[in-house]
Amino acid sequence: MKKIIVQKFGGTSVADTERIKSVAKIVTNEKENGNDVVVVVSAMGHTTDHLVRMAQTLNPNPSEREMDMLLSTGECVSMALLTMAIQALGYEAVSFNAAQVGIFTENVHTKARIIDIKTDKLRKNLNEGKIIVVAGFQGITSDGEITTLGRGGSDTSAVALAAALNAERCDIYTDVEGVYTTDPRVVPNASKLDEISYEEMLELAHAGANVLHPRSVETAKQYEVPLRVRSSFKTDNLGTLILGVDKMEINKPVAGVAEDSSQIRIVVCDIPDTPGEAATLFGSLAKKNVSVDMIIQSYARKSSNTNDIAFTINKADLPQAQEVLNEVKDKLNAGDIKIDDNIAKVSIIGAGMIDRPGIASTMFQTLAESGINIRMISTSEIKISCLINKEDAQKAVKALHEVFALGSDEVADVKGTLPDV
Ligand code: ASP
Ligand code: MG
């Protein structure tokens, strides 16, 4: 049986008919390699943004069902045009929307999750030698309603299709050459990673590097689909391969540095030091769908028998969080509530930091030497994040990138002197 390669092309890769012609070449080259090819496309250029703006001029609060009806059209345009371009090169090709394939999602509009993908039609057409082009970002419910997967969701469509078809690989073609050690706009000598693990990529994605839709990486990890991120503009560059940590050769303790300025910090002061207070606060936030990232509870003050709880949330969730805080403030008997949006989170990420002492202390020392004050710290097995003042963010990223030698091939010296985390 032939190997199946799933290729996904983002908006900039299919922005106009010239770009679509070059994508058709990339697709048919893969077919010439002797593989079966399933292509997933995003809407052309900024089509989706444009559709959103049009909707908003007609109705500030459009129904989610109609938004899905509207936004799902963008991908239908690019799938048909790309199929025509492939056919013009003398290949057999056919396009399908999500309903035709059977990409079933839950019954939720604008951010549905994929539940099941039917593969019979795809396999039949592949067996007939055809190249298949599928509309990304969209799905269908069991009662025939059109849904979408959330902005950037075509990546997830592609990975889910690759998993369902047991594909050899999923290639995500985009406008960058791969995954970088940090944002090359901030650190010009940032280097492209040849390999990175799913776990690291997920942490990078959540820490503010928006190369891939995080859910696509989760799906790839779950079904062990090897993912390649590469440029549709520079095809001689193989990009970055994302795979299981067990299949990688780790040579650097830190793979990347990320920065996220989309959070705000909330401090609830003088909460009585009794059981159940944190549960009330975070339980109420969870009920309003506000996800919390970093949390610090201070040591209880003996004199007043109270402590402070500081936490960070996404800026967009502030209105809901404020509602919750107004509700629970009296219940908690809390004092002042302080909200601070002058913050940034910088994170270092690396599967190689497991069992490697000194990484955390090197990070803290580097920030200290740059005169940067750390306001909160959180850690996971493969990530250390520090909350700092927003104006220090770029300086912090540059200093950390430098100290962990991410711009070159040498392994960083991480012998710290402070206790390890
Ligand atoms: N066209 C959709 C968006 O702009 C989906 C995607 O591009 O992945 O969000
Ligand atoms: Mg995208």
Side-chain angles (χ1 to χ4, degrees):
M1 231 174 56
K2 280 190 179 173
K3 288 176 179 159
I4 301 176
I5 303 287
V6 174
Q7 301 183 319
K8 182 257 172 180
F9 294 91
T12 42
S13 299
V14 292
D16 53 41
T17 51
E18 276 313 303
R19 292 294 315 149
I20 290 177
K21 269 191 205 166
S22 9
V23 166
K25 277 300 304 163
I26 298 175
V27 172
T28 54
N29 283 344
E30 192 63 73
K31 180 79 181 161
E32 287 301 325
N33 287 339
N35 295 315
D36 276 338
V37 188
V38 176
V39 184
V40 174
V41 282
S42 288
M44 293 170 72
H46 296 290
T47 302
T48 312
D49 291 331
H50 180 61
L51 292 172
V52 169
R53 274 198 301 275
M54 276 205 292
Q56 266 153 7
T57 56
L58 295 172
N59 186 336
N61 204 0
S63 89
E64 293 192 327
R65 180 187 186 276
E66 298 313 319
M67 280 311 279
D68 280 352
M69 292 299 278
L70 178 68
L71 298 193
S72 62
T73 61
E75 274 68 15
C76 294
V77 172
S78 42
M79 84 176 171
L81 290 175
L82 176 59
T83 306
M84 293 171 193
I86 296 170
Q87 289 168 342
L89 295 175
Y91 291 79
E92 278 203 79
V94 61
S95 68
F96 295 125
N97 64 24
Q100 290 171 304
V101 174
I103 302 179
F104 288 98
T105 70
E106 44 177 28
N107 206 345
V108 171
H109 284 294
T110 76
K111 47 181 174 298
R113 282 176 175 266
I114 296 174
I115 301 170
D116 187 29
I117 297 183
K118 299 284 173 238
T119 55
D120 19 319
K121 190 169 199 153
L122 298 173
R123 290 207 186 275
K124 178 173 171 282
N125 281 274
L126 289 176
N127 289 340
E128 291 167 2
K130 289 181 194 145
I131 293 169
I132 301 176
V133 184
V134 178
F137 179 54
Q138 53 177 262
I140 186 161
T141 68
S142 54
D143 34 308
E145 286 293 302
I146 305 283
T147 54
T148 62
L149 311 180
R151 296 303 307 270
S154 298
D155 294 342
T156 301
S157 308
V159 175
L161 273 163
L165 288 166
N166 218 339
E168 177 76 5
R169 207 177 57 240
C170 181
D171 286 343
I172 307 273
Y173 283 88
T174 176
D175 51 358
V176 294
E177 281 174 55
V179 180
Y180 282 79
T181 49
T182 196
D183 186 344
R185 286 168 302 188
V186 177
V187 182
N189 79 334
S191 45
K192 196 207 74 184
L193 296 158
D194 290 333
E195 284 189 349
I196 187 169
S197 66
Y198 300 123
E199 290 79 2
E200 290 166 314
M201 191 62 223
L202 271 175
E203 293 283 12
L204 270 177
H206 288 298
N210 48 20
V211 188
L212 288 175
H213 197 225
R215 215 189 306 148
S216 70
V217 186
E218 277 159 30
T219 310
K221 175 170 181 255
Q222 188 177 348
Y223 296 98
E224 295 186 34
V225 179
L227 259 185
R228 198 181 267 293
V229 176
R230 56 185 299 183
S231 165
S232 66
F233 296 78
K234 287 197 180 166
T235 45
D236 50 336
N237 188 332
L238 283 181
T240 303
L241 186 63
I242 308 168
L243 71 181
V245 71
D246 50 322
K247 302 210 170 63
M248 295 184 49
E249 218 179 280
I250 295 160
N251 46 24
K252 280 186 180 179
V254 176
V257 182
E259 189 255 289
D260 182 3
S261 298
S262 68
Q263 297 195 344
I264 51 166
R265 183 175 78 151
I266 299 179
V267 189
V268 185
C269 302
D270 300 317
I271 301 178
D273 188 31
T274 51
E277 306 292 1
T280 304
L281 175 59
F282 295 111
S284 315
L285 286 165
K287 259 190 227 132
K288 284 256 176 216
N289 252 324
V290 177
S291 30
V292 175
D293 184 22
M294 302 168 111
I295 301 177
I296 286 185
Q297 175 177 314
S298 70
Y299 189 68
R301 282 182 288 274
K302 277 254 167 55
S303 53
S304 58
N305 215 15
T306 61
N307 54 38
D308 305 332
I309 296 182
F311 58 95
T312 64
I313 59 166
N314 209 301
K315 237 177 242 166
D317 288 337
L318 181 59
Q320 290 92 308
Q322 251 159 346
E323 252 175 67
V324 170
L325 291 167
N326 289 338
E327 272 168 38
V328 299
K329 194 175 168 209
D330 291 340
K331 226 200 265 166
L332 292 178
N333 263 315
D336 281 354
I337 293 175
K338 294 179 186 149
I339 295 172
D340 183 358
D341 71 352
N342 179 34
I343 54 160
K345 183 175 76 170
V346 285
S347 308
I348 56 172
I349 288 125
M353 67 172 73
I354 300 173
D355 295 332
R356 212 115 149 214
I359 308 290
S361 54
T362 302
M363 178 178 195
F364 304 151
Q365 220 157 32
T366 305
L367 294 177
E369 277 159 20
S370 308
I372 297 169
N373 191 28
I374 301 173
R375 300 174 58 184
M376 281 170 104
I377 298 168
S378 79
T379 64
S380 79
E381 240 190 344
I382 64 163
K383 180 179 77 170
I384 305 166
S385 301
C386 293
L387 200 71
I388 59 174
N389 289 337
K390 196 180 262 170
E391 59 270 20
D392 291 331
Q394 296 211 346
K395 192 158 89 173
V397 170
K398 283 186 187 134
L400 293 169
H401 194 265
E402 167 98 44
V403 77
F404 290 110
L406 296 177
S408 71
D409 277 343
E410 36 166 311
V411 175
D413 178 13
V414 291
K415 285 185 225 76
T417 50
L418 298 169
D420 304 314
V421 174

